[in-house]
């Protein structure tokens, strides 16, 4: 049975190079390359791909990944990255992304990743999973998650209050509690943590280059933060496999 693969990337030359490699792999059927997230969602809506290889562009945020997972329950997603923050990687795993594949890996490992994921396995590099051990997770309520998302877009207290339909005073109370809960000094630092968890590092923009609306960012369920150097760090377990990958428990 053929595995239908949909590749999304805003780098056409790079995408064509990978496409030429994957077309030679037995059992793979390459669908037309998508150059926009909207194109991916359209293909997914038709129930076409079995696996989506998603270039981690500025368009791809926590919100986009969340929407995709809701739209494609039977389709597997692999993020194709140059680099990714520990925070966004953790959030992506929580949403059900099946793998994070570095573009700089040899082509045989890129093919192996897609084959493993299609077979029901997960693909995350050992260095990435080890980085989770050097981070701390702060659980957020639904309202706190929404507030962090809006704050990360640069909204002021009055704008946040209007969006969430609460008073400006209530927003100030939530922010004060969040500063203590997360361990930050001010709204700027909290917004930076929010950005690391929500996006590739920049706020998403629409086709006109304008910042997207507040509704485009759903609330986070948690913040993943680098553990301060004063806290005890857990030493990662020694690698038991010769490859740079650590096999994880298979999920179906």
């Amino acid at each position: 049975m053929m595995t239908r693969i949909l590749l999304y990337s805003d780098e056409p030359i790079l995408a064509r190079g990978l496409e030429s490699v994957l077309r030679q792999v037995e059992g793979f059927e390459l669908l037309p390359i998508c150059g926009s997230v909207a194109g991916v969602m359209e293909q997914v809506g038709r129930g076409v791909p079995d696996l989506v290889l998603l270039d981690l562009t500025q368009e791809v945020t926590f919100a986009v990944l969340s929407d995709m997972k809701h739209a494609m329950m039977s389709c597997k997603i692999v993020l194709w990255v140059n680099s990714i923050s520990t925070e966004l990687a953790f959030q992506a795993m929580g949403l059900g992304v099946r793998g994070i594949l570095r573009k700089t890996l040899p082509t045989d490992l890129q093919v192996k990743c897609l084959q493993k994921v299609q077979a029901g396995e997960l693909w995350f590099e050992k260095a990435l999973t080890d980085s989770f051990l050097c981070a701390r997770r702060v659980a957020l309520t639904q309202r706190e998650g929404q507030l962090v998302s809006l704050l990360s877009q640069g909204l002021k207290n009055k704008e946040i209050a209007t969006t969430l339909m609460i008073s400006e005073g209530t927003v100030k109370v939530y922010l004060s509690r969040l500063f203590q809960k997360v361990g930050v000094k001010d709204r700027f630092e909290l917004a930076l943590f929010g950005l690391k968890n929500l996006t590739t590092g920049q706020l998403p923009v629409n086709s006109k280059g304008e910042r997207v609306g507040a509704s485009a960012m759903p609330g986070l369920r948690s913040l993943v933060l680098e553990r301060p150097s004063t806290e005890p760090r857990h030493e990662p377990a020694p690698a038991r496999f010769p490859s740079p990958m650590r096999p994880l428990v298979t999920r179906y």
Side-chain angles (χ1 to χ4, degrees):
M1 186 174 177
M2 299 292 284
T3 298
R4 297 165 298 179
I5 298 177
L6 177 63
L7 171 60
Y8 157 72
S9 178
D10 63 357
E11 299 181 65
I13 295 178
L14 185 62
R16 291 296 179 190
L18 181 61
E19 179 187 37
S20 65
V21 171
L22 297 181
R23 286 198 182 280
Q24 300 175 41
V25 179
E26 185 178 354
F28 282 179
E29 177 186 344
L30 270 293
L31 302 172
I33 296 173
C34 282
S36 69
V37 168
V40 175
M41 295 301 288
E42 183 180 348
Q43 291 273 31
V44 167
R46 297 175 188 166
V48 177
D50 300 305
L51 190 154
V52 175
L53 183 57
L54 205 63
D55 195 347
L56 190 59
T57 66
Q58 184 177 316
E59 279 192 82
V60 179
T61 65
F62 173 81
V64 168
L65 291 175
S66 181
D67 289 343
M68 282 189 177
K69 284 308 298 179
H70 281 99
M72 55 170 96
M73 299 304 294
S74 60
C75 180
K76 302 177 178 69
I77 298 177
V78 173
L79 291 182
W80 197 36
V81 308
N82 285 311
S83 62
I84 186 172
S85 69
T86 298
E87 296 87 353
L88 186 58
F90 188 90
Q91 301 293 350
M93 289 180 69
L95 288 173
V97 168
R98 309 292 296 186
I100 295 177
L101 176 62
R102 273 190 299 121
K103 296 176 182 178
T104 53
L105 287 178
T107 53
D108 60 328
L109 282 180
Q110 305 230 10
V111 170
K112 184 179 180 180
C113 166
L114 301 182
Q115 291 172 329
K116 291 281 189 182
V117 168
Q118 181 56 23
E121 298 183 33
L122 302 178
W123 182 279
F124 298 99
E125 291 193 39
K126 178 181 179 297
L128 183 59
T129 55
D130 282 348
S131 71
F132 296 153
L133 300 176
C134 300
R136 63 187 179 95
R137 177 177 174 272
V138 179
L140 301 176
T141 66
Q142 181 180 7
R143 181 65 84 197
E144 289 172 340
Q146 291 170 338
L147 195 146
V148 170
S149 298
L150 296 173
L151 185 65
S152 299
Q153 292 188 77
L155 272 65
K156 301 186 185 311
N157 287 358
K158 186 175 182 179
E159 296 171 310
I160 293 173
T162 300
T163 302
L164 298 181
M165 293 185 290
I166 57 180
S167 71
E168 193 171 346
T170 302
V171 171
K172 292 179 180 178
V173 171
Y174 270 116
L175 283 176
S176 178
R177 290 175 179 172
L178 276 168
F179 293 163
Q180 295 183 23
K181 187 173 184 178
V182 179
V184 297
K185 300 186 296 292
D186 52 37
R187 62 190 295 123
F188 178 73
E189 195 174 356
L190 181 60
L192 285 179
F193 280 133
L195 276 177
K196 286 185 177 182
N197 281 266
L198 284 162
T199 74
T200 56
Q202 296 180 335
L203 289 170
V205 295
N206 61 22
S207 59
K208 297 180 180 179
E210 301 167 337
R211 189 178 67 196
V212 299
S215 61
M217 279 192 178
L220 288 163
R221 289 171 291 183
S222 65
L223 283 177
V224 180
L225 314 172
E226 290 187 3
R227 193 180 297 277
S229 57
T230 54
E231 291 189 24
R233 300 175 73 93
H234 299 283
E235 291 297 326
R240 299 180 181 178
F241 302 94
S243 75
M245 307 297 156
R246 170 185 290 169
L248 300 182
V249 178
T250 299
R251 297 185 200 159
Y252 293 93

